[in-house]
Every structure is written in C-alpha cells, then in structure tokens.
Amino acid sequence: AEVEMSDAADAISSNENLGVSSLSWCTGRFEPATLVVGFSSGRVSIYRYNDGQRSWLEAIRLPGHATGNGVPRGVLDVAWAPNVGRSYHLIATCGKDNQLKVHRVKRGRGGKGDAAEGSGSQLSLVYEGTEVLDQSQAWRCQWNVTGTVLASSGDGGMVKLWKSDFQGRWKCVSEIVGDTTGVAAATAFQNQ
C-alpha cells in the first residue's frame, strides 16, 4: 500500500500549533507505516497509517516532556529502536525538561475500531510504561543496530551508553568524554 506523506503532515500539523521538532520511523518488518513524533510543546505521539481509512491516525500519546509542576517543555529528539525479535517496541525521547526517557509499547491484536476494512484485525499498539534514565541535559538519542544499546549526548561533551539489565532496568554502562580542547581553542581565538 502506498502511503501519502502529505496526509501524514496534514494529520500531524492539524494536532499541533507549535510544530514538529523530531520524528523517527518504526522499522518493524511486519508493522504498518508507523512513526513517533516529538513536538515543540513537549508532546510525544505515535502515528500509524490506517489502510482502511487511507489516513494517518494518532495511535498513542506517550508521556511528554514537562517541568515538575506540569509546564510543557519541548522535545529535542526521539528514536525508535530497531526490533530484533522482541514482542514490544522501545522508543527513546529527550527534552528541554532535562530528561532522557525510554517508553515501552507492546504489540497486540486490534480491538474495536482498530481493524482495517476488509483485512481482519491488525496489530495495535498498547502503552506499557516509561522509565526516566537521566536527568541531565540530553540533546540527542540514538539506538544501536539491534536496539539493545541507547546512546545519548548533551552539552557536557559526553556520550552516555545505556543498556537494560535482565530485569528490564536501564543503567548507564559507559561514558565517553570527547576532546573539548579544540572547542576551547576555537572560543579563545574568536574572543581575540
């Protein structure tokens, strides 16, 4: 089935006034066209293409990024983990609230209203939970090729690598500090 991207843009932009700040495709081989979108308002939504309606629909709204008292903060990056044999999806988000999060979304059978016309039931998505991994400034997040290690980077010139233990809890397993001497030299040169 051919997916009209202009329809996706219309569906997404009609739901958000401040704009899209990041997006990432689900690369699952047996999934319909699905993407996660981060918004400048702090909202994080999963959109899925519905063949029966020939349109993009918001499938799930994940916990967004906001301050402790609920003031919305923008989403800086989203990353959908490649799925190699898991029965669930992992989606990482980082935002201006200084939080790096991993959301877990399970595949399930579509219920009422989820079935595409004439195709029987399709796989639906069910939100399972969110874990906050870090509360320092993370600007970017990206998964490795198997979706088992998450990398995050921020202002401090450091890349952090995160991995889930056997109980499903995420831990920082490595910190890679970049060489910031070149940045300091360039700054000093500009200030002369």
Side-chain angles (χ1 to χ4, degrees):
E2 186 174 310
V3 176
E4 290 291 326
M5 290 312 300
S6 61
D7 292 342
D10 292 343
I12 292 167
S13 64
S14 69
N15 291 328
E16 191 65 35
N17 294 331
L18 297 175
V20 171
S21 60
S22 54
L23 59 90
S24 181
W25 285 98
C26 170
T27 58
R29 295 176 75 190
F30 304 108
E31 299 285 342
T34 308
L35 57 104
V36 61
V37 179
F39 294 93
S40 299
S41 67
R43 194 176 102 210
V44 179
S45 293
I46 297 175
Y47 287 86
R48 184 164 261 191
Y49 188 74
N50 183 301
D51 282 324
Q53 296 181 13
R54 297 194 50 79
S55 64
W56 287 87
L57 303 174
E58 183 179 50
I60 296 178
R61 189 172 293 192
L62 298 172
H65 288 270
T67 62
N69 56 359
V71 177
R73 302 292 289 164
V75 176
L76 297 170
D77 201 10
V78 295
W80 198 305
N83 192 331
V84 183
R86 285 190 305 269
S87 62
Y88 56 89
H89 294 285
L90 295 172
I91 298 168
T93 64
C94 57
K96 291 182 181 178
D97 61 351
N98 294 336
Q99 290 189 342
L100 173 66
K101 299 178 180 182
V102 172
H103 309 273
R104 186 173 159 142
V105 177
K106 182 176 81 170
R107 287 181 253 168
R109 279 278 158 211
K112 184 177 180 183
D114 287 339
E117 291 177 22
S119 66
S121 65
Q122 69 181 32
L123 290 177
S124 65
L125 297 173
V126 179
Y127 171 73
E128 284 196 324
T130 298
E131 185 174 344
V132 176
L133 305 189
D134 201 2
Q135 303 236 358
S136 63
Q137 186 74 300
W139 287 79
R140 300 277 299 160
C141 54
Q142 186 68 44
W143 294 95
N144 70 342
V145 70
T146 59
T148 56
V149 178
L150 175 66
S152 66
S153 64
D155 273 348
M158 183 182 310
V159 173
K160 294 182 179 181
L161 301 178
W162 302 86
K163 193 164 176 61
S164 177
D165 65 15
F166 70 96
Q167 294 178 326
R169 292 185 304 244
W170 290 87
K171 303 221 184 285
C172 181
V173 295
S174 184
E175 294 180 344
I176 304 164
V177 179
D179 179 13
T180 58
T181 57
V183 174
T187 304
F189 179 74
Q190 285 179 334
N191 292 335
Q192 290 181 357

